[in-house]
Amino acid sequence: MKEPLIRIGILSAPAIDGSLDGLFSYRNKQVIGPFEARAGSNTINFRLGGNRFAAKQIRFVPLAGSTFALQGVRIGIGFHWEKTEKQVFKGSLVLECGPDGSLTAINEILIEEYLKSVISSEMSASAPVEFLKAHAIASRSWLAAMLGRKKEKPAAPPSGPVPAAEFIKWYDREDHGQFDVCADDHCQRYQGISKIISGNAAQAVADTRGIFLVSNKKICDARYYKCCGGITENFSSAWEDRKVEYLSSVPDSSTAYQPVESEEEALSWVHSRPDAFCNTADEALLGRILPENDRGTDFFRWQVSYSRAELEELVRQKSGLDFGTITELVPIERGPSGRIIRLEVRGSERTAVIGKELEIRRWLSPAHLLSSAFSVSVEKDGSGVPSRFILDGAGWGHGVGMCQIGAAVMASRGYSAPEILTHYFQGASLEKLY
């Protein structure tokens, strides 16, 4: 297997400003300095210093380790930490016209160099080294599996009628038309070289170069997220209805916990604080694990509360539907971690079932609810009509695969990267493929 060259979509906008910080090659000429790119009629109007020209695609190839910077890169899109910032990148810069008349900035770079940024962007580069190694292998495996899926014929959509009152969808890291992966949480966080603040991330990538998680002679689609809440989730709870052996539910602990199988068990689970790897209040360790944007979040057990009017307006905005007076939120189906897969929203005007987990999180939060593992309690006014909905929840993210906080805690307790990975991806093995 040859080390892949990948294309990362960094930014799409009508105008892109940045700079070539060092010498780059463009059409056999050496160029350097700040630039402006503007969308034209199926062309890019480009200015670099005193030079102006138009083209459908512009590719700058770095010379002698030069870097480039882009202004106004959005990160955390759709989440509570969303913001824009300047970011600096290695590799080639490609500017292309997008299908919607905008411009797209694409970074072409070898996968091992890409991973140094991913590891530092997803988690702090000061995290335990064995955790960074485990993350490098998981991220490398997911990306290679995704590139492999791009070459396969897409699966046919499910056949048969869909109930009119059901809104079931999932958000996979679907193929992008112009590039392989995006640079945000939708795929893997990739924030250039700006977030690489120590040599640990680069060393973790170098120490695991070419190593992948493999199951049944195929590279594993290794998923991960922030915090499982004590038990990880099955693949089918978040995505297609199929079993993936190495993405099956396991306790995030050296002690076995029984999966959640009823509403009573779910209620008990989210109101408990079981002994789990990701159940940590060690602020010093969390400061070494989490990037600044993620700190200060109550991730293991949490609570959000909405007045009925707030919830009705939120659901109306997210769904485009008017439920009237919302009277109940009823979990219909849960996974083994307690995450709700199908939730019934009952109102005076309509009743509907929504799913899967990320769609539930999207409907019930201005950004994204931390997870769909929650119980619902209701306060009522004197006439018996709900006045407030209280959600008590567990975990942060979809819960499938590797729990990042749990894995980091395992590393801090002396577990090796192979031990961490085989705990979360049971039945998978490690193989060096290049």
Side-chain angles (χ1 to χ4, degrees):
M1 179 179 177
K2 184 179 179 181
E3 180 182 354
L5 178 73
I6 58 172
R7 288 164 54 88
I8 309 111
I10 306 297
L11 172 64
S12 291
I16 296 176
D17 295 333
S19 60
L20 304 178
D21 302 323
L23 290 175
F24 281 72
S25 174
Y26 175 68
R27 293 184 176 178
N28 298 320
K29 294 181 179 179
Q30 293 186 4
V31 293
I32 190 173
F35 65 80
E36 298 175 357
R38 302 292 182 264
S41 179
N42 200 33
T43 61
I44 304 168
N45 296 317
F46 191 84
R47 184 174 74 175
L48 176 65
N51 299 314
R52 296 174 181 265
F53 57 90
K56 291 185 177 181
Q57 183 192 72
I58 300 172
R59 174 179 276 103
F60 297 104
V61 179
L63 302 175
S66 297
T67 63
F68 67 90
L70 296 174
Q71 303 283 352
V73 179
R74 293 172 64 199
I75 65 172
I77 298 172
F79 290 87
H80 63 275
W81 60 84
E82 181 174 341
K83 63 180 179 179
T84 61
E85 62 182 23
K86 175 185 175 181
Q87 293 183 353
V88 180
F89 302 90
K90 290 185 176 181
S92 299
L93 169 63
V94 181
L95 298 172
E96 294 181 353
C97 295
D100 59 354
S102 65
L103 301 179
T104 301
I106 298 168
N107 183 197
E108 293 183 341
I109 194 168
L110 289 169
I111 188 174
E112 298 296 327
E113 193 66 43
Y114 162 81
L115 286 172
K116 296 175 187 177
S117 172
V118 167
I119 306 311
S120 299
S121 301
E122 284 282 350
M123 305 297 278
S124 172
S126 61
V129 172
E130 289 301 306
F131 165 65
L132 294 176
K133 290 180 182 179
H135 209 309
I137 296 168
S139 295
R140 184 184 294 113
S141 301
W142 169 77
L143 183 58
M146 183 277 301
L147 293 174
R149 289 199 307 273
K150 287 174 71 74
K151 300 176 183 178
E152 298 174 355
K153 182 179 179 181
S159 58
V162 177
E166 286 206 356
F167 299 87
I168 308 297
K169 64 187 299 186
W170 56 86
Y171 299 82
D172 206 349
R173 297 166 168 91
E174 72 267 7
D175 294 344
H176 295 282
Q178 290 181 271
F179 43 84
D180 298 320
V181 289
C182 66
D184 206 40
D185 293 74
H186 176 264
C187 290
Q188 295 188 120
R189 283 189 194 177
Y190 173 70
Q191 297 169 7
I193 63 175
S194 308
K195 299 295 189 294
I196 303 176
I197 58 175
S198 81
N200 287 351
Q203 190 61 50
V205 173
D207 288 348
T208 64
R209 176 179 172 82
I211 298 177
F212 294 82
L213 279 160
V214 176
S215 177
N216 293 323
K217 300 182 179 180
K218 293 184 66 176
I219 295 174
C220 293
D221 182 4
R223 309 289 173 114
Y224 57 85
Y225 51 90
K226 282 292 183 292
C227 172
C228 67
I231 300 176
T232 74
E233 192 50 78
N234 290 331
F235 175 86
S236 59
S237 297
W239 295 288
E240 304 100 301
D241 292 322
R242 61 184 177 90
K243 184 175 180 63
V244 179
E245 291 292 344
Y246 59 83
L247 294 178
S248 296
S249 177
V250 297
D252 189 36
S253 171
S254 55
T255 302
Y257 291 112
Q258 293 300 311
V260 171
E261 294 182 339
S262 68
E263 273 307 298
E264 292 75 16
E265 291 177 0
L267 184 65
S268 175
W269 178 252
V270 300
H271 285 275
S272 69
R273 297 193 68 90
D275 182 16
F277 293 126
C278 60
N279 180 9
T280 179
D282 186 338
E283 293 298 330
L285 177 61
L286 291 173
R288 293 176 58 206
I289 295 171
L290 296 174
E292 184 177 354
N293 292 334
D294 296 334
R295 294 173 192 167
T297 301
D298 293 328
F299 53 83
F300 189 73
R301 292 295 184 268
W302 48 265
Q303 183 184 90
V304 296
S305 174
Y306 301 115
S307 70
R308 191 195 72 241
E310 289 173 334
L311 181 64
E312 289 165 355
E313 179 58 25
L314 185 59
V315 171
R316 185 181 300 112
Q317 289 178 359
K318 292 302 185 77
S319 69
L321 302 172
D322 184 3
F323 282 78
T325 301
I326 293 180
T327 57
E328 290 184 274
L329 299 176
V330 183
I332 302 298
E333 181 184 1
R334 290 184 185 268
S337 75
R339 282 168 171 78
I340 302 172
I341 303 169
R342 295 167 68 239
L343 177 74
E344 187 170 74
V345 181
R346 298 177 181 173
S348 60
E349 296 298 321
R350 69 171 67 233
T351 294
V353 174
I354 61 172
K356 293 187 174 181
E357 65 88 31
L358 188 55
E359 187 73 344
I360 294 170
R361 293 164 60 194
R362 192 181 72 84
W363 278 38
L364 299 184
S365 173
H368 288 78
L369 206 62
L370 286 181
S371 86
S372 69
F374 59 83
S375 66
V376 182
S377 57
V378 180
E379 296 177 357
K380 297 183 178 181
D381 60 23
S383 62
V385 176
S387 59
R388 181 162 292 276
F389 290 81
I390 302 166
L391 311 183
D392 288 285
W396 183 1
H398 51 67
V400 179
M402 186 175 73
C403 174
Q404 291 173 310
I405 292 174
V409 170
M410 289 182 72
S412 74
R413 296 180 183 178
Y415 288 85
S416 68
E419 289 172 327
I420 292 168
L421 291 167
T422 53
H423 170 73
Y424 290 108
F425 303 100
Q426 295 198 359
S429 59
L430 301 183
E431 293 188 24
K432 187 173 179 62
L433 302 182
Y434 62 77

